[in-house]
Amino acid sequence: MQRKWWKESVVYQVYPRSFKDSNGDGIGDIKGITSKIDYLKELGIDVIWLSPVYKSPNDDNGYDISDYQAIMDEFGTMEDLEELLDELHKRGMKLMMDLVVNHSSDEHNWFVESKKSKDNPYRDYYIWKPGENGQEPNNWTSFFGGSAWQYDETTDEYFLHLFSKKQPDLNWENPKLRKEIYDMMTWWLEKGIDGFRMDVINLISKADGLPSAPGGKRYDWGGEFFMNGPRVHEYLQEMNREVLSKYDMITVGECPGASTDDAIKYANNEDTELNMIFTFEHMDIDSGPGGKWDLKPWKLKDLKEVMTKWQKDLEGKGWNSLYLNNHDQPRMVSRFGNDEEYHDQSAKMLATFLHMMQGTPYIYQGEELGMTNVRFDSVEEYNDIEIKNMYREKVIEGKEDHQKVMEAIYEKGRDNARTPVQWDDSENAGFTSGKPWLNVNPNYKVINAKNALENKDSIFYYYQKLIQLRKEYDIIVYGTYDLIMEDDDKIYAYTRTLGEEKLLVICNFSSETADFVLPEHINYQSANLLISNYEQNSEDISLIALKPYESRVYLLK
Ligand code: NOJ
């Protein structure tokens, strides 16, 4: 296996709006991030993935960009960004920027021009079509609900938007558009940034003729016609040739609906496209047929199946990214652990589970503190466009039960992840001296960074140790993965193998005790405990009575 620095790194995601406010306007900003670099250095992370900080009217909190080469006023200035970059580099850390080029904002100059007339030079930067019999050009729906098409009077045509109507899709078929994007990427790389996280990058190629989803419904999910589309690899290979291959950088592509076969192409070992992708498969194990808001209890069996498939299918052929939450997902300790009685233990167990797998681990801000989901009383307290649209569609227009929909928001809403980072127990959790744009989680008095830094057994220091172990032991980065105790419904255990060494990772995913039985085929002379979330003294690993959410990692020789 080829060694690469981005395989050995740990990435920390900053969602700037919620990270740290430096000027009291209630919105996190770049200077706020810079003020916390030493905190991140202490944690031990290598790379920051910065969610978008570009100019944006904030219809989707920065994922709708109106100028790719300017900074959003609320977040600061280009000088602030350069300072952040310098300060990171001084400490040997790197900066990966978000790249949102499946769509732009409708306030981007390209779109403003594109709308003006059918023969405007920017017309073909976007996807325009006339209606069909007075209706939308096809039946696709947007990720945020409703039709994926918006009618525009000026030219009597519709434009495609897979997200909000303020996020028109860019037309990658147009070589001029592609060139503009590559030039913009090069401009950032010349500034010294170290990589890109590419937003929904597997949606950039749409099927020829933009066919309707079959079945004849007026509105339907057309995913098969725009996810992993016909020219996506061609575009990414071109991007790689024109831009990526010229820099020593890190790339990760967000790829909803990508299979492991797709992943092996996107994240292939020859480095002709991207370094790795984000899969969504493990994020879907608690969704019913109705999609993300159709709640379904998740099963350990399904988690084992999905994770094992990604570990084994990519082995030697591609590279995994490892995550259990981000700015679009609920908090992992609330979703997969127990955020009450076993908050501390389950947060540490989940971290162990993830960081010991093969792939590059991603920590989402506040995860290292065990931040949890939030329950606001009314829908007005939420900010997220996805939540607001869904609530309108289901409750206001669809007359579904308010409380049932609120429960779905409590479980799955993106604002669970977006409440401000809890720095201390002062007002607004030390996030801002003003009024926060989104309320803080009331549990900040207990769960906060100040407390964590004062307690040597905290979740924070546990993450610090996990990260240090990754630097010390090659097997954690490069070892191959094998699932053991496949059918156990409480314990997720696996091994990693590199040469003569084995790593044994044991995680109890339940709030009950559970017996771990070492499979007979695992032979060893010595077992050295590398980390555990409980005090340990016994070294006999043939039979272990695990406590609730207990996890242990042994190095076997
Ligand atoms: C994925 C991003 O992570 C999400 O926050 C955003 O809403 C959509 N892509 C659209 O850009």
Side-chain angles (χ1 to χ4, degrees), residues 9-192:
S9 296
V10 175
V11 182
Y12 184 96
Q13 183 190 354
V14 169
Y15 189 70
R17 218 175 174 72
S18 308
F19 190 69
K20 172 74 186 156
D21 175 20
S22 73
N23 63 359
D25 67 357
I27 297 172
D29 47 42
I30 296 172
K31 278 198 179 306
I33 305 169
T34 308
S35 74
K36 294 293 182 187
I37 298 180
D38 286 328
Y39 166 85
L40 297 175
K41 183 72 192 167
E42 185 167 5
L43 184 58
I45 57 110
D46 307 280
V47 180
I48 289 183
W49 151 24
L50 184 56
S51 277
V53 290
Y54 314 98
K55 270 238 173 338
S56 161
N58 279 312
D59 192 50
D60 185 20
N61 284 346
Y63 282 91
D64 48 319
I65 297 170
S66 53
D67 185 342
Y68 290 99
Q69 279 157 269
I71 301 293
M72 189 190 300
D73 290 338
E74 286 118 304
F75 289 167
T77 62
M78 193 58 83
E79 288 70 45
D80 295 343
L81 198 273
E82 285 160 2
E83 183 192 31
L84 169 65
L85 187 57
D86 275 358
E87 293 299 321
L88 286 172
H89 285 171
K90 268 188 216 158
R91 293 166 179 82
M93 297 154 90
K94 296 184 192 289
L95 183 64
M96 172 164 72
M97 301 282 282
D98 222 303
L99 180 80
V100 189
V101 290
N102 172 68
H103 45 268
S104 72
S105 161
D106 65 339
E107 296 182 32
H108 193 293
N109 186 47
W110 295 340
F111 192 74
V112 174
E113 285 299 316
S114 184
K115 259 172 84 155
K116 285 184 179 162
S117 66
K118 288 186 186 166
D119 55 10
N120 187 284
Y122 290 92
R123 185 66 171 181
D124 288 340
Y125 275 43
Y126 295 87
I127 302 172
W128 291 97
K129 274 204 127 189
E132 292 253 333
N133 312 321
Q135 294 185 351
E136 294 84 357
N138 71 23
N139 64 1
W140 299 354
T141 48
S142 128
F143 279 84
F144 293 158
S147 169
W149 293 94
Q150 178 66 28
Y151 177 70
D152 191 66
E153 287 184 337
T154 325
T155 55
D156 187 30
E157 283 195 337
Y158 291 78
F159 65 86
L160 178 71
H161 62 90
L162 293 179
F163 292 89
S164 97
K165 57 176 189 270
K166 284 185 67 61
Q167 292 168 297
D169 279 52
L170 289 161
N171 177 17
W172 276 71
E173 302 267 324
N174 180 349
K176 263 169 65 190
L177 176 268
R178 301 207 298 275
K179 168 99 174 43
E180 295 248 26
I181 289 174
Y182 303 153
D183 288 349
M184 175 271 286
M185 293 171 71
T186 302
W187 184 87
W188 277 105
L189 288 159
E190 286 300 310
K191 202 179 252 311

Side-chain angles (χ1 to χ4, degrees), residues 60 63 100 103 144 163 167 197 199-200 254 327-328 414 418:
D60 185 20
Y63 282 91
V100 189
H103 45 268
F144 293 158
F163 292 89
Q167 292 168 297
R197 172 269 185 190
D199 193 70
V200 290
E254 187 200 27
H327 67 293
D328 292 331
R414 303 197 296 181
R418 298 178 182 185

Side-chain angles (χ1 to χ4, degrees), residues 378-473:
S378 75
V379 78
E380 284 72 42
E381 273 182 86
Y382 287 88
N383 166 280
D384 177 22
I385 180 168
E386 185 187 44
I387 294 179
K388 299 241 181 228
N389 284 358
M390 182 278 282
Y391 186 87
R392 199 193 52 240
E393 251 179 44
K394 287 194 190 292
V395 181
I396 301 172
E397 293 160 11
K399 305 280 177 256
E400 281 186 36
D401 180 54
H402 159 84
Q403 204 45 45
K404 185 170 161 246
V405 171
M406 290 305 286
E407 285 305 322
I409 295 174
Y410 296 152
E411 297 259 324
K412 291 284 192 70
R414 303 197 296 181
D415 282 343
N416 282 309
R418 298 178 182 185
T419 61
V421 171
Q422 295 161 206
W423 294 106
D424 58 39
D425 61 4
S426 68
E427 207 184 345
N428 295 320
F431 162 70
T432 179
S433 56
K435 183 173 162 17
W437 70 279
L438 183 68
N439 285 339
V440 296
N441 190 318
N443 64 20
Y444 73 90
K445 297 254 178 210
V446 182
I447 301 177
N448 64 60
K450 183 163 172 281
N451 278 352
L453 292 171
E454 283 166 1
N455 169 10
K456 68 174 187 13
D457 289 327
S458 67
I459 301 169
F460 178 93
Y461 290 118
Y462 192 89
Y463 270 83
Q464 186 188 57
K465 184 155 184 207
L466 283 173
I467 297 169
Q468 278 167 4
L469 286 172
R470 159 172 289 266
K471 310 286 170 208
E472 254 170 74
Y473 295 94

